[in-house]
């Protein structure tokens, strides 16, 4: 029997005043599957990077303690898939990765072929990573790990951007990988589909990690999306005329005539269907055919500064939204230019309290957890207060408490502005906290933009 990974008296921090772990001692069985859970900012990503040896080599300080009995080879899927890749396309990434493993050509080609076939990514191989959706990138990252065949596989929110079908497919592939007797440690806020796969669950909280009883954790539920009744607006903000969307290699949306309204709209669709690309078209960041009208004016005839003051987009990757170094600097800058009457007269302490970051004012924004970044990103967007808000996966990688906070912020500091009609389109694969939030459900299906009516089941 292989020895467990042994963590003894480990203390680690980025800031001496706020340690991430204090005297952490823990044993994790090898050749088994461990699920790591806990609130955003508790240190889950940090712990995985400690196991990978990325910390303290590339950040933070190991005050005392050691980690023993780590498997010799490791692979990691990062929470942000954009940090996963070095090359321009998946095919080039496969070749680069396996060359670094110093495999002979025949063995490398066999591994690549097996991984591509197993994960069904043949049609993605020669596309630029910049053109892939978040979920498609995560599928490629998973395929790379299959080809690497590490002894220790670390996964940090690896399915956060995946649609339900894609997520369940990859978890099934993970179940097959488990049979090869490797050690798997995975962090996730969504516990569905793990019931018969996980061997043990660890809770990361209050600077410690402990083994917990997971009996109640894997109760499977399928939330139902209920659209609001008799509250949907009939006031169009956008009008699409003969609108179509495409990439160099495929059509995303065929010619459509459609209106987008004030109130709240959910946008769904499978990974790669064009949801993020649709947002980029609405914010004039990518090309399209046809016409888009905003409040009866063609958007190409509205100056960018004026238009983007009225139409704001929260990117899927919040790192792309930040300009300053620390949390306090971001909020202070936005507060000076705040256009939201509900937030304009608040101070930094009140704003930090709103998003549960009261002790993070001096922290570098890029060192926040994924969930903390999402909350900060949203608050910055609400302070800008555009007429129409495009939210791209604002709940991905956010714990239940954080999701509740995000919905609270949207309802109380944006939609409740009675003097002005507001509109939101929100992309999300997680609906457990959104079942009664939307007026409309718009989906991209078979290259068509379609409104769905009434109550719809949507597995999260």
């Amino acid at each position: 029997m292989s020895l467990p990974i042994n963590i003894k008296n480990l203390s680690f921090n980025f800031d001496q005043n706020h340690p991430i772990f204090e005297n952490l001692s823990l044993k994790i069985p090898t050749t088994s599957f461990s699920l790591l859970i806990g609130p955003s900012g508790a240190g889950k990503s940090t712990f995985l990077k400690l196991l990978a040896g990325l910390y303290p080599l590339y950040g933070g300080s190991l005050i005392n303690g050691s980690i023993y009995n780590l498997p010799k080879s490791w692979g990691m899927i990062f929470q942000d898939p954009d940090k996963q890749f070095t090359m321009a396309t998946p095919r080039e990434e496969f070749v680069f990765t396996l060359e670094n493993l110093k495999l002979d050509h025949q063995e490398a080609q066999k591994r690549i072929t097996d991984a591509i076939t197993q994960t069904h990514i043949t049609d993605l191989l020669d596309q630029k990573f910049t053109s892939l959706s978040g979920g498609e990138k995560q599928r490629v990252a998973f395929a790379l790990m299959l080809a690497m065949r590490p002894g220790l596989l670390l996964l940090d929110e690896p399915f956060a951007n995946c649609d339900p079908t894609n997520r369940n497919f990859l978890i099934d592939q993970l179940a097959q990988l488990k049979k090869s007797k490797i050690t798997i440690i995975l962090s996730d806020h969504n516990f569905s589909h793990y019931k018969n796969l996980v061997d043990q669950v660890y809770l990361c909280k209050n600077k410690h990690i402990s083994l917990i009883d997971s009996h109640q954790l894997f109760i499977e539920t399928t939330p139902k999306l209920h659209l609001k009744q008799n509250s949907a607006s009939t006031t169009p903000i956008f009008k699409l005329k003969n609108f179509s969307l495409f990439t160099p290699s495929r059509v995303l949306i065929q010619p459509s005539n459609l209106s987008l309204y004030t109130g709240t709209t959910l946008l769904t669709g499978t990974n790669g269907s064009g949801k993020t690309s649709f947002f980029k078209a609405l914010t004039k960041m990518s090309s399209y055919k046809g016409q888009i009208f905003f409040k009866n004016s063609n958007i190409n005839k509205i100056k960018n500064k004026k238009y983007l003051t009225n139409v704001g987009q929260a990117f899927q990757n919040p790192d792309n939204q930040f300009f300053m170094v620390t949390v306090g600097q971001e909020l202070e800058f936005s507060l000076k230019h705040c256009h939201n009457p509900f937030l304009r007269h608040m101070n930094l302490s009140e704003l930090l309290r709103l998003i549960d970051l009261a002790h993070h004012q001096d922290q570098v924004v890029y060192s926040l957890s994924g969930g903390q970044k999402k909350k900060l990103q949203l608050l910055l967007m609400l302070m800008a207060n555009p007429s129409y808000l495009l939210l791209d996966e604002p709940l991905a990688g956010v714990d239940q408490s954080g999701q509740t906070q995000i919905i609270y912020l949207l309802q109380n500091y944006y939609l409740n502005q009675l003097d002005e009609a507001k509109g939101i389109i929100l992309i999300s694969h997680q609906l457990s906290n959104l079942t009664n939030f939307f007026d409309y459900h718009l989906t991209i299906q078979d290259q068509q933009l379609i409104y769905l009516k009434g109550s719809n089941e949507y597995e999260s």
Side-chain angles (χ1 to χ4, degrees):
M1 178 182 252
S2 57
L3 295 173
I5 298 171
N6 194 352
I7 299 98
K8 283 190 176 181
N9 301 319
L10 186 145
S11 294
F12 179 85
N13 66 32
F14 295 104
D15 174 1
Q16 291 183 359
N17 297 322
H18 300 97
I20 306 297
F21 297 112
E22 282 187 323
N23 296 318
L24 171 63
S25 293
L26 184 71
K27 291 184 178 182
I28 301 176
T30 49
T31 65
S32 68
F33 192 122
S34 300
L35 178 64
L36 183 63
I37 68 172
S40 296
K44 300 184 298 298
S45 297
T46 298
F47 180 68
L48 294 179
K49 290 175 182 177
L50 281 165
L51 294 180
L54 299 177
Y55 293 153
L57 182 61
Y58 299 112
S61 300
L62 185 63
I63 308 305
N64 61 266
S66 301
I67 302 175
Y68 303 93
N69 303 329
L70 282 167
K72 292 182 179 180
S73 63
W74 62 270
M76 184 169 181
I77 298 181
F78 297 103
Q79 188 172 17
D80 176 5
D82 288 330
K83 295 178 180 177
Q84 194 80 40
F85 310 113
T86 303
M87 310 304 287
T89 68
R91 187 186 299 277
E92 293 169 343
E93 191 71 28
F94 271 103
V95 173
F96 174 77
T97 300
L98 296 192
E99 280 183 349
N100 282 336
L101 294 180
K102 299 181 180 179
L103 299 175
D104 65 66
H105 179 74
Q106 185 174 359
E107 174 63 16
Q109 282 302 121
K110 181 180 185 305
R111 289 195 187 188
I112 291 172
T113 301
D114 289 346
I116 290 169
T117 302
Q118 189 171 336
T119 54
H120 304 171
I121 61 166
T122 302
D123 58 336
L124 304 180
L125 284 178
D126 297 306
Q127 296 187 41
K128 300 289 187 183
F129 278 115
T130 53
S131 71
L132 298 183
S133 71
E136 288 174 326
K137 291 174 185 176
Q138 288 185 315
R139 184 183 280 244
V140 172
F142 187 85
L144 279 166
M145 292 303 109
L146 290 181
M148 289 175 65
R149 299 180 185 176
L152 170 64
L153 179 57
L154 306 167
L155 305 102
D156 190 3
E157 296 280 349
F159 313 122
N161 295 314
C162 293
D163 63 64
T165 300
N166 195 18
R167 179 180 186 276
N168 293 343
F169 170 79
L170 290 178
I171 292 177
D172 288 341
Q173 300 307 307
L174 202 56
Q176 295 300 314
L177 187 60
K178 179 185 175 182
K179 296 177 181 178
S180 64
K181 301 298 183 183
I182 72 169
T183 301
I184 300 171
I185 304 175
L186 182 148
S187 167
D188 207 340
H189 290 298
N190 182 350
F191 310 139
S192 65
H193 218 60
Y194 289 125
K195 183 176 181 179
N196 299 314
L197 180 59
V198 169
D199 296 307
Q200 54 273 325
V201 178
Y202 295 93
L203 174 64
C204 182
K205 190 175 181 180
N206 298 329
K207 305 172 189 175
H208 287 87
I209 299 175
S210 55
L211 183 66
I212 65 168
D213 180 2
S214 60
H215 179 70
Q216 297 294 322
L217 196 65
F218 302 118
I219 298 175
E220 302 283 346
T221 60
T222 302
K224 290 185 178 181
L225 176 64
H226 293 281
L227 301 182
K228 296 178 185 177
Q229 298 298 316
N230 302 319
S231 64
S233 166
T234 57
T235 303
I237 291 188
F238 284 99
K239 289 184 179 180
L240 312 181
K241 291 189 176 181
N242 202 32
F243 171 87
S244 62
L245 193 60
F246 47 87
T247 70
S249 60
R250 53 182 167 154
V251 175
L252 298 174
I253 299 174
Q254 295 184 13
S256 301
N257 295 302
L258 193 80
S259 292
L260 304 173
Y261 301 94
T262 57
T264 53
T265 300
L266 171 67
L267 176 60
T268 60
T270 58
N271 290 136
S273 61
K275 302 183 296 297
T276 296
S277 297
F278 180 55
F279 274 12
K280 289 181 178 179
L282 292 179
T283 51
K284 302 204 284 188
M285 293 177 63
S286 66
S287 59
Y288 57 90
K289 289 184 178 179
Q291 295 176 303
I292 302 175
F293 293 87
F294 177 71
K295 296 183 177 179
N296 297 318
S297 296
N298 191 315
I299 66 172
N300 289 326
K301 296 181 179 180
I302 307 173
K303 290 184 178 180
N304 284 351
K305 183 176 181 180
K306 179 181 179 181
Y307 180 68
L308 296 177
T309 298
N310 284 282
V311 180
Q313 179 179 354
F315 302 125
Q316 190 173 96
N317 182 355
D319 286 351
N320 296 332
Q321 212 93 40
F322 303 134
F323 296 100
M324 311 302 284
V325 176
T326 68
V327 175
Q329 289 171 343
E330 280 285 356
L331 288 172
E332 187 174 11
F333 177 82
S334 293
L335 196 56
K336 289 179 181 178
H337 303 86
C338 182
H339 298 289
N340 190 319
F342 290 95
L343 299 171
R344 185 181 299 137
H345 301 295
M346 288 189 172
N347 57 39
L348 282 181
S349 296
E350 289 176 300
L351 293 172
L352 289 163
R353 179 185 53 79
L354 275 177
I355 54 177
D356 200 23
L357 290 178
H359 302 295
H360 297 266
Q361 182 170 331
D362 297 324
Q363 187 170 339
V364 175
V365 289
Y366 304 105
S367 69
L368 294 174
S369 73
Q372 290 171 329
K373 289 177 184 177
K374 292 279 189 179
K375 291 189 290 183
L376 176 61
Q377 175 194 30
L378 177 65
L379 185 56
L380 298 176
M381 294 302 301
L382 295 187
M383 292 166 76
N385 201 34
S387 300
Y388 210 82
L389 192 53
L390 311 175
L391 303 176
D392 195 348
E393 293 286 0
L395 304 183
V398 182
D399 60 26
Q400 288 294 314
S401 175
Q403 291 184 26
T404 301
Q405 283 182 313
I406 285 173
I407 301 308
Y408 175 83
L409 290 174
L410 289 173
Q411 289 175 329
N412 291 277
Y413 294 93
Y414 185 76
L415 292 171
N416 285 356
Q417 297 182 38
L418 300 178
D419 60 328
E420 186 178 355
K422 297 289 184 180
I424 293 174
I425 301 185
L426 188 151
I427 298 172
S428 184
H429 296 301
Q430 302 181 47
L431 297 179
S432 57
N433 287 313
L434 295 168
T435 55
N436 294 290
F437 182 73
F438 296 106
D439 301 303
Y440 298 97
H441 184 179
L442 181 66
T443 190
I444 302 176
Q445 182 176 309
D446 299 325
Q447 301 177 343
Q448 299 287 337
L449 277 168
I450 304 169
Y451 275 112
L452 301 179
K453 297 181 180 180
S455 173
N456 302 283
E457 289 191 3
Y458 190 86
E459 183 182 357
S460 76

